[in-house]
Amino acid sequence: MADLHGTSFVQVVKVVVTLAVLALVGVLALRRFSWDPGGLLSAAAARSMSPQGYLKHGLWAHTADLGPLNTLSDHVVVILGTAMTPHLILRVGASRSGTSARRSTSIAVACVAFLAVLTTVTSVTFAAAVSFARDVFARLPRGARHDEGRELRVLRTAVIVLCVVSMTLSAAVHGYPVEFLVTFSMSVAATCVFPVLIYSFHWPGFNRRGLLWAVYGGLALCVLLTLFSPIVSGTEYALRPGASFDWYPLHTPGLISVPAAFLLGGLASRYRPTDVRTRG
């Protein structure tokens, strides 16, 4: 991971750029309201789904049922999902020691709300391209692999392809509610990555079978619960507001899918097919 120390520089640059962009957007917004912050806030509250409670803490205007459980599930997904996204994993992985890694993690979880605002396209693209070049391309038969220059060309090609695909998907889904896109991506990260990392770091008995069960089982459950949640149908903010098949009452699947992924990973790692054959 020595070649990933540049991720610290990328994070610093992104913070500066993001703050500059947010400041510019704020100035332009104030200009439209004759430099009156009160007028800007009044207009935002009037256009919101809850004008009377717009500036109150804890407001979530999309709550359908089971308010406290919804809040708990949302917190599980936001905290764990954001902490497991590639740009933060790269930051922790680039640390020189365990102490610096723990320090990086504590700062990242403490700044989770701010980091969620940052544009993470560069780090996510870099992580996906490196994973393809190092994990997929490197596993090809020896005759299909060449020198390090070949791997570098594969990495560059992967970055270009990922950028084209990402831009195409972004254009295709730009009209969909952003709540669904953000919720689903964080739910997948919290469900599929967090249990695997915890088991890998703290349980020597965790094996490949447990990893596959945790990842694929957690992903399947995450997709299933999200599909039948109020974020997809049954509410006016849903992906399909006209439909009604929201039998799962929570907005996010984290309260169910994260423990289920832990359970699947643990059971699969303890399962020994040889023991069954021996008893037979």
Side-chain angles (χ1 to χ4, degrees):
M1 301 295 289
D3 55 344
L4 295 180
H5 288 298
T7 54
S8 298
F9 176 75
V10 173
Q11 295 294 329
V12 172
V13 171
K14 286 197 303 182
V15 170
V16 175
V17 172
T18 302
L19 288 177
V21 171
L22 289 176
L24 178 60
V25 171
V27 170
L28 293 176
L30 281 174
R31 182 183 177 185
R32 293 195 60 180
F33 290 87
S34 303
W35 310 104
D36 180 15
L40 174 61
L41 291 175
S42 298
R47 295 291 186 92
S48 70
M49 298 186 66
S50 179
Q52 301 300 324
Y54 181 73
L55 296 179
K56 294 181 180 179
H57 62 85
L59 173 64
W60 177 240
H62 300 324
T63 298
D65 287 312
L66 306 178
L69 285 179
N70 256 318
T71 301
L72 179 60
S73 183
D74 291 343
H75 286 177
V76 169
V77 166
V78 171
I79 295 174
L80 298 184
T82 305
M84 294 299 108
T85 47
H87 60 293
L88 293 185
I89 295 296
L90 281 175
R91 178 64 188 91
V92 175
S95 303
R96 296 180 181 273
S97 64
T99 302
S100 59
R102 287 190 292 272
R103 187 183 305 116
S104 298
T105 303
S106 63
I107 294 175
V109 176
C111 301
V112 63
F114 177 70
L115 289 172
V117 183
L118 296 180
T119 329
T120 59
V121 174
T122 303
S123 296
V124 172
T125 303
F126 178 68
V130 169
S131 178
F132 177 81
R134 294 287 178 87
D135 299 334
V136 177
F137 178 73
R139 291 178 178 271
L140 295 176
R142 291 187 177 273
R145 289 185 283 135
H146 297 283
D147 55 8
E148 188 173 328
R150 168 82 171 179
E151 184 176 331
L152 182 59
R153 289 192 294 271
V154 171
L155 177 62
R156 291 172 177 170
T157 303
V159 169
I160 295 174
V161 172
L162 286 169
C163 288
V164 172
V165 173
S166 299
M167 292 178 66
T168 303
L169 291 176
S170 298
V173 302
H174 76 282
Y176 290 96
V178 68
E179 289 91 348
F180 169 77
L181 302 175
V182 174
T183 299
F184 182 68
S185 61
M186 288 189 175
S187 298
V188 171
T191 302
C192 299
V193 181
F194 178 70
V196 170
L197 287 183
I198 294 298
Y199 274 142
S200 300
F201 290 155
H202 300 289
W203 186 24
F206 187 61
N207 55 25
R208 183 175 181 273
R209 183 184 293 107
L211 184 147
L212 293 177
W213 280 43
V215 171
Y216 290 115
L219 177 61
L221 186 59
C222 183
V223 172
L224 179 66
L225 294 180
T226 300
L227 180 63
F228 293 102
S229 70
I231 207 76
V232 174
S233 69
T235 54
E236 58 182 280
Y237 65 90
L239 191 64
R240 298 186 59 188
S244 181
F245 46 86
D246 52 323
W247 56 263
Y248 178 68
L250 304 181
H251 300 113
T252 54
L255 203 61
I256 304 297
S257 60
V258 173
F262 271 109
L263 181 62
L264 289 172
L267 292 177
S269 295
R270 292 181 179 276
Y271 175 70
R272 297 290 186 272
T274 54
D275 296 341
V276 176
R277 288 196 296 266
T278 300
R279 293 190 191 123

